[in-house]
Amino acid sequence: MVQEIEYKQVGKFEETKFEKIHNEIFSSSLHASKLVAHEIAKLIKQKQQEGLHCVLGLATGSSPIKVYEELVNMHRSGELSFHNVITFNLDEYYPIDRDHQQSYYHFMHQHLFNHVDIMPENIHIPDGSILLEEMDQYCIDYELKIKKYGGLDFQLLGIGRTGHIGFNEPGSHPNSGTRVITLDHITRSDAASDFNGIEHVPKKAITMGINTILKAKRIILLAWGHKKAPMIKDTIEGTVSSSVPATFLQNHQNITLILDDEAASELTRIKTPWLVGQCIWTEKLRLRAVTWLSELLNKPILKLTDKDYNEHGMSGLLAIEGSSYELNIKIFNHLQHTITGWPGGKPNADDTHRPERALPKKKRVLIFSPHPDDDVISMGGTFLRLIDQGHDVHVVYQTSGNIAVTDQEALKFAEVFNAFTNSPNSSKFQETISFLKSKKTSDRDSDAILKIKGLIRRMESLGAIRHLGLSDDKVHFLDLPFYETGRVKKKPLSREDITLTKNIIEKIAPHQLYAAGDLADPHGTHKICLDAIFAALKDLKSSTFMDDCWVWLYRGAWQEWDVSEIDMAVPLSPDEVTKKTNAILHHQSQKDRVMFQGEDSREFWLRARERNKNTAILYDALGLADYEAIEAFKRYIY
Ligand code: F6R
């Protein structure tokens, strides 16, 4: 039975003393979404009993999808009718046609309206095809319609990385109403993969204004994942300002922010609880606090003093530990013990304080790589060491990675095949070549093109692992079905994906299993690949080989673990860094014109290099040895 969201009084408790908006934090975004759906359903039913309309302001994007799913489930089970519901959507791209795959009109029908009994005339979504000269009147009418129905009873919101609500980008005025707005570059680049490139993302949008939103009687804002964490901190703790439009929500009297652990991770009470009040000093928290203090004061751990601790909210910790001297040594030793040049364990050495076991000397190692290049990008140096130190290393590429190859790259290969074969069969390539030459960005790739793109990535990964010294028979390609849509949007994880993952683990029976541990990326391929591994591990729990299998998580291309989370730090020599870089460079299709670049314009080899160098700099700054580069891992206990 789903319970209702519990409302607390903000400011009443010491732990929320920095916070100006009521918020609730959940470990699962699914559970949180269900609670929100139930609050909406309760409101709809209450209005039904009173014989009234229920006026809902709705959002699009990834955040509300599970709320809509739950509402649809409730409708399907006969529990909820939408016959009295009137909806107003927050926004729409401009210009855009209704039937464009990325229009919010399409989104809302796909996720909600097509599956419930709402009356079509009760649905209002800003029209992205309105003529510019009619726009002003159109926006005034949109506002008037909301007013005519008595205003919004409930408004659902997401938040953009610019701090936008609706599409009210930085600079938006608190008195703003529905209008056309120019989208911020960050917003457009976040939408780039949905539109197959930033150049196809509309430059403008129609959006309800801040004032329209604030007039709603009840507001819930949803935020999931690490990417949202900085904006959530600003929204909840920052000063009200149009540079972060979501801060205007601080002026609303009936609002709740619903967050998952990652989105809440930058809040002061979560990130640095010692600055807020009394803490329960677990080992993990001590480690976090001391490394934080050392970084903040730019002082090696062994040089931190009682005064430093007392002045930064840690007198309680000092009282437990006795003195800064004791505490410093303890944390220093912990970090020292994470460092090893023997990621597979050091044979014939005392392993009491080593991250890995000494035995068995030769381990079977299974490296899972979600895309065909994550292995070398995130752990190329460790990969190399495991091979060089004589372990039986296998690499498993979980997905084909085919959608990340450009049409130009595929065309190049198709033309090479064609020119080389120069035989009657070549007509097959001729067709592919013509298709590629005339392809529009919105066209889905044909199966032949997807095959070519997948093969390009396969051959690149073979080149990379051969460069590291691994033989081809140690390479396994799973081509997990969830990925094979030919589009950015993937299928949900299926039993087939889990079975394929389980079979390969069973076949290799590893002592060490490495996986991309991007726990925080709720929609991406890495998270689905990790879910497949976790589900497989659960199924395999009773197999005897699993008693001996340790799981190590590496981070994907974008971020590194926080130093307090690192359980194994593998230093790399300058030569190893070069070899790793060259392995990454085998992935030619991911160079120069990479399809899903995000905002970081550095190429993968450079990102990997800088990230590993920065981890080494951090260890050095904490007072540990000065290495060229470090790859970091977190042990996952299942
Ligand atoms: C969508 C909207 C936007 C999104 C925001 C977050 O109707 O108004 O403000 O809520 O961009 O998008 P997601 O949820 O995709 O991260």
Side-chain angles (χ1 to χ4, degrees):
M1 179 64 196
V2 186
Q3 326 113 26
E4 283 194 37
I5 301 163
E6 197 185 295
Y7 303 110
K8 279 191 221 149
Q9 198 66 47
V10 178
K12 207 168 157 187
F13 303 101
E14 195 176 31
E15 63 165 13
T16 55
K17 74 180 174 199
F18 288 84
E19 302 183 1
K20 300 167 191 164
I21 305 191
H22 173 228
N23 62 85
E24 296 285 336
I25 305 169
F26 295 84
S27 54
S28 140
S29 60
L30 178 62
H31 176 63
S33 300
K34 285 187 179 184
L35 291 178
V36 174
H38 280 255
E39 177 173 333
I40 298 173
K42 193 175 162 196
L43 182 67
I44 297 175
K45 287 181 197 170
Q46 182 196 318
K47 293 275 180 186
Q48 269 164 19
Q49 278 167 7
E50 295 166 9
L52 298 172
H53 281 132
C54 182
V55 188
L56 302 178
L58 297 179
T60 54
S62 58
S63 310
I65 290 179
K66 289 185 214 134
V67 173
Y68 297 146
E69 256 169 39
E70 185 63 10
L71 287 171
V72 170
N73 288 340
M74 280 188 258
H75 173 71
R76 284 196 175 137
S77 68
E79 212 186 301
L80 182 66
S81 164
F82 285 71
H83 70 261
N84 65 327
V85 174
I86 316 273
T87 62
F88 285 90
N89 262 82
L90 278 167
D91 43 18
E92 177 59 284
Y93 289 109
Y94 186 78
I96 202 164
D97 284 336
R98 276 179 170 196
D99 50 11
H100 191 293
Q101 286 281 322
Q102 297 308 326
S103 78
Y104 285 168
Y105 181 93
H106 179 82
F107 176 101
M108 286 310 300
H109 285 79
Q110 183 193 15
H111 290 282
L112 184 65
F113 299 145
N114 287 347
H115 316 288
V116 296
D117 61 343
I118 188 165
M119 286 184 270
E121 61 273 27
N122 287 350
I123 297 171
H124 305 90
I125 303 172
D127 183 351
S129 64
I130 209 87
L131 292 174
L132 206 51
E133 51 272 29
E134 290 167 13
M135 187 61 84
D136 286 350
Q137 191 53 49
Y138 179 81
C139 291
I140 292 169
D141 291 347
Y142 202 73
E143 289 279 328
L144 286 176
K145 259 186 234 158
I146 298 176
K147 205 167 163 194
K148 186 186 114 197
Y149 286 109
L152 300 166
D153 293 309
F154 181 100
Q155 177 64 57
L156 191 60
L157 295 176
I159 181 169
R161 282 194 310 129
T162 57
H164 69 216
I165 46 173
F167 271 139
N168 292 284
E169 296 289 14
S172 294
H173 195 273
N175 288 337
S176 52
T178 301
R179 67 201 187 289
V180 176
I181 190 154
T182 301
L183 293 174
D184 193 280
H185 178 75
I186 296 183
T187 302
R188 292 184 68 235
S189 82
D190 280 349
S193 59
D194 292 339
F195 280 87
N196 266 324
I198 191 162
E199 63 278 21
H200 307 294
V201 182
K203 295 207 167 58
K204 294 186 183 288
I206 308 173
T207 182
M208 278 187 197
I210 304 276
N211 190 37
T212 330
I213 294 170
L214 287 178
K215 279 192 292 196
K217 297 177 188 88
R218 165 82 175 133
I219 300 180
I220 282 193
L221 182 147
L222 310 169
W224 320 129
H226 260 293
K227 278 189 185 170
K228 302 289 170 77
M231 273 307 152
I232 286 299
K233 179 184 163 74
D234 285 355
T235 303
I236 295 179
E237 298 184 9
T239 316
V240 177
S241 135
S242 64
S243 57
V244 179
T247 55
F248 291 121
L249 297 172
Q250 290 180 16
N251 297 329
H252 197 274
Q253 296 310 309
N254 188 14
I255 174 164
T256 303
L257 264 54
I258 302 288
L259 315 171
D260 66 2
D261 288 335
E262 287 84 19
S265 61
E266 288 292 323
L267 293 179
T268 308
R269 73 172 149 128
I270 306 293
K271 190 167 184 186
T272 50
W274 49 89
L275 296 179
V276 179
Q278 294 296 325
C279 296
I280 298 165
W281 285 105
T282 59
E283 290 299 322
K284 258 207 135 16
L285 195 64
R286 289 173 208 220
L287 183 59
R288 251 172 66 194
V290 176
T291 50
W292 171 84
L293 188 61
S294 163
E295 281 182 65
L296 182 82
L297 300 180
N298 204 5
K299 262 189 179 185
I301 289 170
L302 294 176
K303 291 189 180 172
L304 294 172
T305 62
D306 286 8
K307 185 167 172 276
D308 294 332
Y309 284 102
N310 286 330
E311 282 177 357
H312 292 88
M314 289 183 229
S315 50
L317 175 59
L318 222 47
I320 301 171
E321 292 284 345
S323 73
S324 53
Y325 179 79
E326 308 280 339
L327 178 58
N328 292 349
I329 291 195
K330 192 166 138 188
I331 301 296
F332 178 87
N333 282 342
H334 171 93
L335 290 171
Q336 181 66 40
H337 293 150
T338 62
I339 304 173
T340 182
W342 298 83
K346 186 170 184 180
N348 311 319
D350 175 4
D351 58 10
T352 322
H353 295 298
R354 290 179 173 277
E356 248 300 347
R357 305 146 290 174
L359 295 173
K361 265 188 194 172
K362 180 175 169 171
K363 293 191 172 62
R364 282 184 303 276
V365 177
L366 190 169
I367 299 174
F368 273 112
S369 180
H371 298 101
D373 54 355
D374 292 305
D375 53 341
V376 285
I377 289 173
S378 293
M379 55 169 292
T382 305
F383 196 158
L384 182 63
R385 283 203 173 207
L386 288 164
I387 299 169
D388 289 351
Q389 290 168 359
H391 299 287
D392 179 17
V393 183
H394 292 254
V395 60
V396 175
Y397 296 105
Q398 293 165 279
T399 68
S400 67
N402 54 14
I403 66 157
V405 177
T406 59
D407 291 342
Q408 294 87 328
E409 192 74 3
L411 180 62
K412 175 171 84 187
F413 281 92
E415 287 184 329
V416 170
F417 303 147
N418 207 31
F420 182 73
T421 51
N422 196 19
S423 69
N425 280 345
S426 66
S427 61
K428 188 172 165 195
F429 300 119
Q430 199 50 61
E431 216 177 280
T432 307
I433 290 168
S434 316
F435 180 74
L436 277 168
K437 282 185 167 165
S438 60
K439 200 185 141 199
K440 288 200 250 19
T441 39
S442 53
D443 291 343
R444 188 184 176 276
D445 281 337
S446 65
D447 289 346
I449 293 172
L450 286 173
K451 181 97 192 159
I452 292 175
K453 290 183 171 179
L455 283 171
I456 291 172
R457 297 215 67 182
R458 268 194 188 202
M459 299 316 155
E460 288 173 345
S461 51
L462 283 177
I465 60 101
R466 286 173 194 157
H467 179 76
L468 295 182
L470 195 71
S471 55
D472 293 4
D473 57 317
K474 301 294 170 80
V475 181
H476 313 264
F477 296 99
L478 292 190
D479 288 346
L480 290 180
F482 84 84
Y483 184 91
E484 297 303 316
T485 58
R487 295 211 179 266
V488 175
K489 193 166 164 34
K490 304 292 184 280
K491 286 184 267 184
L493 186 66
S494 70
R495 195 64 234 170
E496 199 185 344
D497 298 304
I498 298 169
T499 305
L500 285 164
T501 310
K502 188 174 142 184
N503 291 348
I504 195 77
I505 300 176
E506 235 169 352
K507 188 170 156 202
I508 295 165
H511 299 101
Q512 275 196 326
L513 186 157
Y514 290 85
D518 296 275
L519 303 155
D521 165 19
H523 313 288
T525 296
H526 283 209
K527 176 69 168 67
I528 304 179
C529 285
L530 189 63
D531 286 346
I533 296 172
F534 285 168
L537 291 177
K538 206 165 152 204
D539 283 0
L540 289 167
K541 210 161 180 176
S542 54
S543 314
T544 38
F545 76 86
M546 291 302 289
D547 296 340
D548 260 347
C549 176
W550 285 22
V551 176
W552 291 100
L553 301 180
Y554 61 85
R555 271 268 165 108
W558 318 100
Q559 287 163 288
E560 190 49 277
W561 298 111
D562 183 79
V563 68
S564 64
E565 290 181 295
I566 297 173
D567 294 312
M568 176 159 73
V570 182
L572 308 183
S573 69
D575 285 348
E576 285 167 325
V577 173
T578 305
K579 194 146 185 178
K580 167 176 173 162
T581 307
N582 289 335
I584 299 172
L585 288 172
H586 273 271
H587 293 274
Q588 284 293 310
S589 70
Q590 302 306 298
K591 263 187 75 19
D592 306 326
R593 282 170 315 187
V594 25
M595 297 262 293
F596 304 110
Q597 181 86 47
E599 269 168 83
D600 188 339
S601 58
R602 292 171 303 165
E603 290 192 3
F604 287 116
W605 66 272
L606 192 58
R607 276 189 226 188
R609 223 172 150 126
E610 288 180 1
R611 158 180 159 186
N612 297 155
K613 204 176 177 64
N614 288 340
T615 311
I617 291 171
L618 181 58
Y619 265 68
D620 182 28
L622 293 170
L624 296 130
D626 182 6
Y627 294 103
E628 174 71 12
I630 289 180
E631 287 176 345
F633 303 87
K634 178 182 162 82
R635 188 163 167 213
Y636 175 74
I637 311 281
Y638 54 95

